[in-house]
């Protein structure tokens, strides 16, 4: 379900673990044989493992560094949507890091109309004295800001000295 919606170019019909080889074997829909998960592309492997992990978590915090690493832009949006869906269902608080404006825009788009999610963009930067500074920007405000064409990679504008 969730994996196939995120990565429709390789829909899975089954996932098996082979204890003797310590390998996860995935079988694509319409195929008669499985392949090791590690034979898939990096983005698919990372997405699969992340989704599998979140499905097993309940009432906890999930920290994901560089969620967009190795993800195709179209898959990233679907991965974020699946992550939000799972986080909501399993009551997870999720913290994501990124350097990409596209990731922030995709996440804001995924949760924009959701009144339950209390999302925030928190840019951080070193000031001229070497102190780490940050500022919390609620998603609703981030939507307004990005709607003007602003790029959050220029976040120093939001961080007071």
């Amino acid at each position: 379900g969730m994996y196939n919606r995120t990565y429709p170019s390789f829909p899975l019909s089954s996932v098996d673990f082979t204890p003797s080889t310590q390998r996860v074997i995935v079988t694509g829909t319409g195929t008669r044989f499985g392949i090791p998960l590690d034979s898939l592309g990096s983005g698919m492997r990372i997405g699969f493992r992340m989704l599998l992990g979140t499905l097993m978590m309940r009432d906890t915090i999930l920290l994901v560094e560089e969620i967009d690493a190795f993800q195709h832009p179209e898959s990233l949006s679907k991965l974020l949507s699946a992550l939000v869906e799972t986080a909501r269902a399993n009551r997870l608080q999720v913290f994501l890091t990124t350097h990409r404006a596209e990731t922030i825009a995709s996440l804001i788009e995924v949760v924009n109309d959701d009144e339950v999610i209390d999302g925030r963009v928190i840019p951080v930067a070193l000031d001229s004295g070497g102190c780490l500074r940050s500022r919390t920007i609620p998603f609703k405000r981030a939507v307004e800001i990005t709607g003007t064409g602003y790029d959050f990679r220029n976040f120093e504008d939001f961080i007071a000295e």
Side-chain angles (χ1 to χ4, degrees):
M2 193 174 306
Y3 175 88
N4 290 347
R5 286 192 313 268
T6 305
Y7 301 101
S9 62
F10 186 71
L12 300 181
S13 61
S14 70
V15 178
D16 299 297
F17 178 71
T18 306
S20 61
T21 62
Q22 296 291 304
R23 290 181 138 179
V24 174
I25 305 297
V26 295
T27 304
T29 303
T31 63
R32 297 181 315 184
F33 59 91
I35 61 171
L37 176 65
D38 290 332
S39 296
L40 298 178
S42 297
M44 291 175 124
R45 286 194 318 265
I46 291 167
F48 178 86
R49 288 179 175 129
M50 185 180 319
L51 292 174
L52 183 62
T54 59
L55 288 170
M56 295 187 292
M57 300 170 76
R58 301 276 186 283
D59 300 310
T60 191
I61 295 173
L62 173 65
L63 307 172
V64 183
E65 184 176 13
E66 300 293 338
I67 190 167
D68 41 25
F70 306 105
Q71 297 297 318
H72 185 277
E74 185 177 320
S75 296
L76 175 62
S77 179
K78 292 175 182 177
L79 178 61
L80 290 169
S81 182
L83 181 61
V84 167
E85 178 184 332
T86 306
R88 182 182 298 115
N90 295 354
R91 297 176 308 275
L92 303 176
Q93 185 174 9
V94 180
F95 294 85
L96 305 175
T97 66
T98 185
H99 289 96
R100 293 177 50 197
E102 299 83 7
T103 302
I104 295 171
S106 289
L107 184 60
I108 288 171
E109 185 177 315
V110 165
V111 300
N112 185 26
D113 295 327
D114 193 317
E115 295 297 323
V116 175
I117 294 177
D118 183 20
R120 308 215 185 284
V121 175
I122 307 173
V124 294
L126 290 176
D127 66 16
S128 58
C131 292
L132 187 63
R133 304 279 183 185
S134 68
R135 179 169 178 193
T136 300
I137 305 166
F139 271 172
K140 293 225 181 284
R141 179 74 177 121
V143 169
E144 295 169 7
I145 293 167
T146 56
T148 67
Y150 183 78
D151 185 342
F152 274 110
R153 289 176 291 191
N154 299 322
F155 52 76
E156 291 88 358
D157 300 341
F158 283 93
I159 301 172
E161 293 272 338

